[in-house]
Each structure stands twice: as structure tokens, then as C-alpha cells.
């Protein structure tokens, strides 16, 4: 242990700082590393440490609780694969995150199953959590959280696919009644009967994502799912749904794309802002683009959206609708290849209106676009804003 003396002549004072605290450690995981498996490193980790997991390696049955706070966990030299392989931690899932302010980056997780059919790849019990650049698939839940109004959850640049037990009560993501959810630049698809995103957070920022699913019998990065809602915000909450691609497949378990407050609007905020999204309903016989529960006390804002396909625009009488575009088959550069830049159309190009700000003063203007897979880029706004999630190909 040593001390360091700092002198500030202009102030005529000197400070003596004790510099004996140990700095954060980096714990290395993988073949030939200090720790053979991630869970062995988690058990040894202290507050503020970094756990680096060697990628392109499968870690089977490595399930545990994560108790250290301010921990950063990341895959390096490729993406490590965490296969629950029939095991679970505490009857809850693969990794149960108990510590606070934990960050997980660049991991692939699958196979989470528990006896009560509610297992999660990541079960969140601490306060504050960030997931980045991950792929969670074929679990009973991708992410499952409890209620914690002090918690802020950030999920970005990640893919979620074919999670769900198949009862409709498990989902790609289930976010409980937390303080806030920021969900951006993600690809959530093919939930197995459940929802592609369900959140009870008091504040939701859902921006620049793609929600979509394959048709029955198709295979992509996962098998095809048959999802219910693409986005479900069952208890309302101040919610920003901006710049997303929201597609419902022909085969689904519920014809609603976005649901808001349908389980009772118990969150204090009842303001929903749906701005510059591209909605695509591939169910030719039914659908509701934005379903709003009867207890929601404020009128939702629907502005600058493309609504493609059949169905009811919204169930809320008196919803504020501004410069939206509806068509059974809107024109895109290449719909089959998901190039959803609108083709030349005077009803879309330069046809949007300035979104302004929310009641809380948050800008509603889209500043980015979703880029596949699970990424994004800046939205060019050199002229009057176009309608939809992308600027037109003019």
C-alpha cells in the first residue's frame, strides 16, 4: 500500500490520497485459461471485475447465479455458446443475475428449461442490467425479470429467436415492472406461441428494431415460430415505439401487432407514441395494428407510420392520427429481401410531419434506422421526413 500526494499551487493546498485499493481484475475463461467455465469465474469475481469468455467454444451445462455487482461479462475471439444442456440454476434458468449493474456482451445462450416451464437464459434479479450483441434462442424465455422499479434495463444489438415453451405464457423477452426498458437495434423473431417482446416497464423506449417471423416450415437462424403479439405493453407506461419494422406472419396465435394496456393500465404513464414505424400484416384475413386497452386514459399518437396489409388500424376511438400511410401492399425496393425503403410515392416521400416532442420533452424524431442483423445506421433527414421506418429510395 502506498500514498500519492497531489499539490494544487493555485489553491495553496495539498491532498494526500490513499491508493491501496485493488484495481478490477480480468478473469479469463476457456480452454487453457485460468477458469475452465464461465460459472467458475463468476464464483471468483469481485465487484467491478471483467470476465472474458473465449469464443467459438461450447460450454455445456454451465448454470449458476451471478452475485458480483458492476461485473462485465463478454465473449472474446468469437461468440461463446452457453448450452444449458438440461441443467438449471435455482430452478430458474441458465444464468441468474443477482448482482447489480451487470453487463453481458457477445454471448449465445440456448436450452434453458426448468420444471415449471418458465426457465430463462438470463433471469434478472438485480438492479440495472445491460445486454449487448448477444443471441438468445430456443429457451423457455430468452430474458425474464422480476419487478424492480429502481432497475433500468438496456438491451441492444441483440437477436432473440424461437424462445417460449409453447403455452403462450413464455416469450422471447419478458420484462417485469421495472423502472425503464431501452430496447434498440435488436432483432426479435419467431417467438414460440408467446410474444416477441413483453414489457411491464413504467417507461419503454423501443426504437430501431425488427420484429418479424418466418412462415410455417421455413428455417432461418432458428425454426419458424407462431407468435402472438409482436410487442406487448400490457400495463401501459410512457412508451416510445419509434423507427421499428413490425411484421406479423400469416400464421400467428394472435392477430394484434402492438398491444398497449390490455391487461389493465396500472402504470402511471398512459402516453404511447408510435412514430415512423413500418407495420406489415401478412395475415390476409384479420389483424389489429395498435390495440389499446379500455383503461388507457390518454389518446395515443400514431404519426408517420406505414400500415401495410389488412386489419383495424387501432381500437382506440379518437386516437391522434397524423400523416400515416395505409395500403394493402405498399411499394418497397425489395419486400422479399426486407429492403423496406419505400419506392417513389408522393404519399410517402416528403409526406411526413414533424413529430415534435413528448409530454416529457423527449424528441420523437427518428435519428436512426434498423440494419440487419441486429444493428443500425444513421437516418438521413436532408428533406422533409418520409413516412415509415426508412427514407424512400428517391
Amino acid at each position: 500500500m502506498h500514498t500519492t500526494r497531489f499539490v494544487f499551487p493555485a489553491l495553496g493546498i495539498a491532498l494526500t490520497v490513499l491508493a491501496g485499493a485493488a484495481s478490477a481484475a480480468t478473469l479469463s475463461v476457456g480452454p487453457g485459461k485460468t477458469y475452465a467455465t464461465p460459472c467458475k469465474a463468476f464464483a471468483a469475481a469481485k465487484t467491478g471485475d471483467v470476465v472474458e469468455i473465449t469464443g467459438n467454444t461450447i460450454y455445456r451445462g454451465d448454470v449458476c447465479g451471478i452475485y458480483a455487482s458492476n461485473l462485465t461479462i463478454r465473449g472474446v475471439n468469437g461468440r461463446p455458446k452457453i448450452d444449458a444442456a438440461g441443467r438449471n440454476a435455482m430452478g430458474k434458468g441458465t444464468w441468474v443475475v443477482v448482482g447489480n449493474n451487470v453487463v453481458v456482451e457477445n454471448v449465445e445462450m440456448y436450452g434453458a428449461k426448468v420444471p415449471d416451464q418458465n426457465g430463462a437464459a438470463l433471469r434478472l434479479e438485480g438492479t440495472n442490467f445491460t445486454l449487448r450483441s448477444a443471441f438468445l434462442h430456443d429457451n423457455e424465455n430468452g430474458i425474464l425479470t422480476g419487478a424492480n422499479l429502481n432497475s433500468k434495463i438496456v438491451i441492444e444489438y441483440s437477436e432473440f429467436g424461437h424462445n417460449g415453451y409453447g403455452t403462450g405464457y413464455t416469450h422471447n423477452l419478458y420484462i417485469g415492472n421495472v423502472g425503464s426498458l431501452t430496447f434498440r437495434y435488436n432483432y426479435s423473431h419467431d417467438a414460440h406461441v408467446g410474444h416477441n417482446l413483453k414489457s411491464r416497464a413504467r417507461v419503454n423506449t423501443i426504437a430501431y428494431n425488427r420484429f418479424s417471423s418466418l412462415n410455417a416450415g421455413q428455417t432461418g437462424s432458428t425454426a419458424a415460430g407462431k407468435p402472438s403479439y409482436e410487442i406487448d405493453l400490457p400495463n401501459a407506461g410512457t412508451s416510445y415505439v419509434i423507427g421499428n419494422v413490425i411484421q406479423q406472419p400469416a400464421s400467428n396465435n394472435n392477430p394484434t401487432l402492438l398491444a398497449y394496456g390490455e391487461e389493465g393500465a396500472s402504470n402511471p404513464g398512459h402516453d404511447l407514441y408510435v412514430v415512423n414505424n413500418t407495420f406489415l400484416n401478412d395475415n390476409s384475413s384479420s389483424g389489429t395494428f395498435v390495440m389499446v386497452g379500455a383503461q388507457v386514459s390518454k389518446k395515443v399518437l400514431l404519426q408517420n407510420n406505414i400500415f401495410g396489409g389488412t386489419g383495424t388500424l387501432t381500437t382506440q376511438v379518437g386516437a391522434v392520427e397524423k400523416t400515416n400511410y395505409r395500403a394493402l401492399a405498399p411499394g418497397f425496393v425489395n419486400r422479399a429481401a426486407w429492403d423496406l425503403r419505400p419506392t417513389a410515392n408522393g404519399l410517402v416521400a416528403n409526406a411526413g410531419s414533424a413529430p415534435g416532442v413528448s409530454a416529457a420533452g423527449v424528441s420523437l424524431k427518428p435519428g436512426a434506422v434498423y440494419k440487419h442483423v441486429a444493428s443500425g445506421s444513421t437516418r438521413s433527414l436532408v428533406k422533409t421526413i418520409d413516412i415509415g421506418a426508412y427514407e424512400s429510395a428517391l
Side-chain angles (χ1 to χ4, degrees):
M1 184 177 295
H2 64 278
T3 59
T4 302
R5 183 176 174 84
F6 295 94
V7 180
F8 299 89
L11 300 177
I13 59 174
L15 298 178
T16 300
V17 178
L18 187 66
S23 60
T26 298
L27 286 64
S28 296
V29 176
K33 304 294 185 180
T34 304
Y35 301 95
T37 67
C39 285
K40 291 184 182 300
F42 300 157
K46 307 297 183 185
T47 299
D49 284 352
V50 176
V51 176
E52 293 191 338
I53 307 170
T54 299
N56 299 316
T57 301
I58 300 176
Y59 302 88
R60 290 188 173 88
D62 195 51
V63 301
C64 58
I66 300 173
Y67 294 93
S69 292
N70 303 314
L71 194 66
T72 298
I73 300 163
R74 60 181 174 228
V76 295
N77 300 318
R79 183 177 278 170
K81 299 176 185 292
I82 314 300
D83 177 5
R87 301 188 63 198
N88 70 80
M90 309 174 216
K92 298 178 179 180
T94 304
W95 290 351
V96 180
V97 182
V98 182
N100 302 324
N101 305 309
V102 172
V103 177
V104 176
E105 300 177 336
N106 193 37
V107 299
E108 179 176 348
M109 303 182 71
Y110 52 94
K113 298 179 180 180
V114 301
D116 68 3
Q117 303 171 359
N118 202 32
L122 290 165
R123 177 71 173 262
L124 307 184
E125 298 186 349
T127 299
N128 300 336
F129 176 81
T130 298
L131 180 71
R132 182 178 298 121
S133 301
F135 181 22
L136 275 56
H137 62 93
D138 296 289
N139 305 282
E140 290 175 340
N141 291 281
I143 291 180
L144 174 61
T145 87
N148 183 346
L149 294 180
N150 294 316
S151 190
K152 298 178 180 179
I153 295 176
V154 177
I155 300 169
E156 57 188 9
Y157 302 104
S158 295
E159 179 179 355
F160 302 84
H162 207 252
N163 299 287
Y165 182 79
T167 59
Y169 298 104
T170 50
H171 314 282
N172 269 353
L173 302 100
Y174 178 99
I175 308 300
N177 192 206
V178 300
S180 67
L181 167 68
T182 300
F183 192 80
R184 60 196 175 202
Y185 308 117
N186 300 297
Y187 175 36
S188 186
H189 61 96
D190 293 289
H192 182 38
V193 182
H195 308 316
N196 279 329
L197 171 63
K198 182 168 186 171
S199 173
R200 300 184 188 274
R202 291 203 167 185
V203 177
N204 296 283
T205 302
I206 302 168
Y208 321 122
N209 306 283
R210 173 173 152 184
F211 301 91
S212 67
S213 293
L214 300 165
N215 291 318
Q218 293 181 318
T219 301
S221 58
T222 69
K226 193 177 178 182
S228 296
Y229 304 142
E230 301 305 314
I231 303 173
D232 184 22
L233 308 174
N235 301 130
T238 297
S239 298
Y240 305 92
V241 180
I242 300 174
N244 302 280
V245 173
I246 305 171
Q247 178 259 359
Q248 177 168 252
S251 179
N252 57 75
N253 274 284
N254 192 299
T256 294
L257 282 77
L258 167 59
Y260 182 74
E262 89 287 356
E263 291 185 22
S266 56
N267 278 329
H270 286 193
D271 45 336
L272 170 64
Y273 307 91
V274 182
V275 179
N276 276 102
N277 302 280
T278 295
F279 288 84
L280 301 171
N281 181 19
D282 290 335
N283 182 338
S284 61
S285 61
S286 65
T288 299
F289 291 101
V290 181
M291 191 268 276
V292 182
Q295 294 182 17
V296 174
S297 62
K298 296 182 179 180
K299 301 305 181 184
V300 305
L301 173 66
L302 308 176
Q303 184 171 1
N304 295 347
N305 302 286
I306 291 175
F307 295 101
T310 191
T312 301
L313 180 61
T314 180
T315 59
Q316 187 183 57
V317 176
V320 179
E321 301 178 30
K322 294 182 179 180
T323 54
N324 299 295
Y325 176 73
R326 289 206 64 180
L328 286 177
F332 300 109
V333 171
N334 191 334
R335 169 69 172 82
W338 293 91
D339 186 343
L340 298 180
R341 291 174 296 160
T343 51
N345 183 338
L347 298 177
V348 174
N350 298 328
S353 54
V357 299
S358 71
V362 175
S363 174
L364 302 176
K365 183 177 181 180
V369 296
Y370 173 82
K371 183 178 180 181
H372 208 51
V373 177
S375 186
S377 60
T378 301
R379 179 166 180 154
S380 298
L381 297 175
V382 296
K383 52 190 181 304
T384 303
I385 192 170
D386 292 350
I387 296 174
Y390 298 91
E391 291 290 293
S392 62
L394 295 179

